[in-house]
Amino acid sequence: MSDAAAAVDLDFGESGRIPAVAQDADSGEILMLAYVTPEAVERTRETGRAHYYSRSREELWEKGATSGHVQHVEEIRVDCDGDAIVYRVDQEGGACHTGYESCFYRTIDGETVGEQVFDPDAVYE
Amino acid sequence: MSDAAAAVDLDFGESGRIPAVAQDADSGEILMLAYVTPEAVERTRETGRAHYYSRSREELWEKGATSGHVQHVEEIRVDCDGDAIVYRVDQEGGACHTGYESCFYRTIDGETVGEQVFDPDAVYE
């Protein structure tokens, strides 16, 4: 991770935020999708830990600040239009507040395909 | 792919669309991110080929309709909140209009990490 200015321009558009996909850097599994502002990307680059912007709480948040399930960001990738990014991460614990490793633990037909890796009742009080 | 009604409810919110991440079902590589409406998801489930909604053109589109680089959707996954989905696909050709396999072919520092798999000038006229 570099704390220098990004070389690739991001296009945050009118909303001021773009989607960020967190992907396990080793397995390639897609862990979650959330949103980032310029400040969230900057904080991620500065700290090496994934930061996002909560649309409902309207605030910057660090993934794992409450649960301890932080994401160590090995690389940030940018798409061709500069309006979506990927955080390639080393995930502590699980990414999903339900206890699953990935938030995408179900198919659209309702089948569970993901793995539960922690007990949410023991992590979130 | 089933053409029955989806078992998991999706939350399309006020905008009426949610982000969809296309992921190579074999390699796990993230290929692109675009948006879907209920109609786009329905068409994807009916045809087995990835459909999206273009925010700029304000229309449903099938990936590869022009280029031939269609995405055969093996599975659709839904996140915990139902407001993002993953298309797990078998990608014909490359996903990016620039000729790269993935739209996420650059790091934020400007390093090219993706592989160019076709000549865009030969595909798009």
Side-chain angles (χ1 to χ4, degrees), chain A residues 3-118:
Chain A
D3 60 2
V8 175
D9 284 335
L10 298 176
D11 177 7
F12 288 92
E14 287 180 22
S15 70
R17 54 186 185 242
I18 57 175
V21 182
Q23 179 182 36
D24 188 290
D26 285 330
S27 70
E29 180 151 16
I30 295 177
L31 299 172
M32 58 181 277
L33 184 148
Y35 293 83
V36 290
T37 54
E39 187 187 4
V41 175
E42 192 181 324
R43 287 289 294 152
T44 299
R45 288 167 61 82
E46 284 171 359
T47 63
R49 296 188 306 273
H51 287 69
Y52 300 94
Y53 178 81
S54 167
R55 296 177 299 171
S56 55
R57 298 194 308 272
E58 298 185 349
E59 64 180 20
L60 184 75
W61 60 288
E62 179 185 340
K63 172 67 184 168
T66 302
S67 64
H69 296 168
V70 302
Q71 294 174 334
H72 304 281
V73 179
E74 298 187 359
E75 191 176 82
I76 303 175
R77 294 192 184 168
V78 180
D79 81 347
C80 50
D81 298 324
D83 60 3
I85 65 173
V86 169
Y87 285 157
R88 289 180 59 85
V89 308
D90 175 12
Q91 171 77 58
E92 303 256 5
C96 191
H97 72 286
T98 59
Y100 284 90
E101 182 180 21
S102 164
C103 294
F104 296 91
Y105 63 90
R106 296 171 300 174
T107 72
I108 198 166
D109 294 316
E111 184 191 353
T112 296
V113 290
E115 185 189 358
Q116 199 158 18
V117 291
F118 69 89

Side-chain angles (χ1 to χ4, degrees), chain B residues 8-119:
Chain B
V8 175
D9 284 335
L10 298 177
D11 177 7
F12 289 93
E14 288 181 21
S15 70
R17 55 187 184 241
I18 56 175
V21 182
Q23 179 182 36
D24 187 290
D26 286 329
S27 70
E29 181 152 16
I30 296 177
L31 299 171
M32 58 181 277
L33 184 149
Y35 294 83
V36 290
T37 55
E39 188 188 3
V41 175
E42 193 182 324
R43 288 289 295 152
T44 299
R45 286 166 63 81
E46 283 170 3
T47 62
R49 296 187 306 274
H51 288 68
Y52 301 93
Y53 178 80
S54 168
R55 296 179 298 171
S56 55
R57 298 194 308 272
E58 296 185 350
E59 64 181 19
L60 185 75
W61 61 287
E62 179 186 341
K63 172 66 185 170
T66 304
S67 63
H69 296 168
V70 303
Q71 295 173 334
H72 304 282
V73 178
E74 298 188 359
E75 191 176 82
I76 303 176
R77 294 194 184 168
V78 180
D79 80 348
C80 49
D81 298 324
D83 60 3
I85 64 173
V86 169
Y87 285 157
R88 289 179 59 85
V89 307
D90 174 13
Q91 170 76 59
E92 304 256 5
C96 191
H97 72 285
T98 58
Y100 284 89
E101 182 179 19
S102 164
C103 293
F104 296 92
Y105 63 90
R106 295 171 300 175
T107 71
I108 199 167
D109 294 316
E111 185 190 353
T112 297
V113 289
E115 185 189 357
Q116 199 156 20
V117 290
F118 69 88
D119 175 1

